[in-house]
Amino acid sequence: MAAAPAVEDRPKVWRLVVAQLKVAVLVSHTGSNSRALHEASLRDDAGFGICLVVSNNSGARALEYAREQGIPSRHMSVRTHGTPEELDAALLDELVTRGVDLVVTAGYMKKLGPRTLAAYENRIINIHPSLLPRHGGPGMYGMAVHEAVLATGDEVTGASVHHVTAEYDAGEVIARREVPVMAGDTAEGLAARVLAVEHQLLPEVVRRIAAGKG
């Protein structure tokens, strides 16, 4: 029988176990913020990982991206669960089953139900394309926000991350990032510049939360 290798000749296996914040992302369409958040999560020092992507839209590009990346994904809507109450219960069960610590709504066009809001109070955040409380509330999403910024003559706009409550865009603002409004701006051009800032701001906030500084 061959002698056992000397200690110094044995393969060295190092296992680093790092507690990561488990993040679920809720989206409705392309999910560019979801993608930016996932890409940020791949950094060694991120401190968080995306463990679930949920969309109310079965054809959302965000679900396709999640599948490509091996991220668990679900289509969940009243089409799959019948009533808002059933959907609320099913979503909460999915979040709890997967051990989700933080929920991020990023272009999610539906209100969350009371059970999910209660169970994840102060652990649900949203990214909004204006400097809240300006240009927030019902109907203020997508291009409508940037059109409102231009119509009111604002010189500065930007992006905000805030806690999610039962009312649209009414929760406490966690962080903002300003974007200047340029002469001759169109809503489309302004939207592109604000979106680029969103892609930076949202991962920064989630990293801070993961580090216990949020």
Side-chain angles (χ1 to χ4, degrees):
M1 181 180 294
V7 171
E8 60 269 24
D9 295 330
R10 292 174 182 166
K12 295 180 176 65
V13 178
W14 298 90
R15 176 175 294 178
L16 180 62
V17 179
V18 179
Q20 282 196 329
L21 190 79
K22 293 184 177 180
V23 178
V25 186
L26 276 55
V27 296
S28 287
H29 298 295
T30 58
S32 67
N33 271 305
S34 175
R35 180 169 184 157
L37 196 57
H38 172 247
E39 290 173 350
S41 77
L42 300 178
R43 292 179 42 164
D44 291 340
D45 62 348
F48 70 93
I50 310 301
C51 67
L52 177 66
V53 173
V54 175
S55 180
N56 62 302
N57 174 10
S58 62
R61 174 67 181 92
L63 291 180
E64 183 181 347
Y65 175 79
R67 290 190 290 267
E68 291 169 354
Q69 300 300 317
I71 304 169
S73 60
R74 293 287 307 276
H75 165 223
M76 302 182 74
S77 67
V78 291
R79 292 178 62 186
T80 61
H81 290 86
T83 68
E85 293 75 19
E86 290 170 334
L87 174 60
D88 185 19
L91 176 59
L92 177 57
D93 182 66
E94 188 76 20
L95 297 174
V96 172
T97 298
R98 295 191 181 275
V100 170
D101 302 305
L102 178 72
V103 179
V104 176
T105 61
Y108 187 61
M109 298 292 105
K110 298 293 182 180
K111 276 190 175 184
L112 292 174
R115 294 181 63 176
T116 301
L117 288 172
Y120 278 86
E121 185 177 6
N122 295 323
R123 292 191 292 153
I124 308 174
I125 63 173
N126 179 60
I127 182 84
H128 184 79
S130 76
L131 297 178
L132 292 174
R134 289 189 67 76
H135 310 299
M140 284 290 99
Y141 59 87
M143 208 58 65
V145 174
H146 308 295
E147 291 169 351
V149 168
L150 295 177
T152 54
D154 291 359
E155 296 181 354
V156 178
T157 185
S160 304
V161 177
H162 65 96
H163 287 295
V164 172
T165 66
E167 301 302 323
Y168 285 122
D169 306 322
E172 177 187 5
V173 173
I174 303 168
R176 294 186 184 91
R177 185 71 51 80
E178 292 187 350
V179 173
V181 179
M182 306 293 192
D185 255 338
T186 62
E188 291 77 11
L190 190 57
R193 296 209 314 281
V194 171
L195 186 61
V197 166
E198 291 179 47
H199 291 170
Q200 299 169 359
L201 181 62
L202 183 59
E204 287 176 11
V205 170
V206 175
R207 278 198 298 268
R208 291 208 306 264
I209 292 172
K213 299 175 183 179

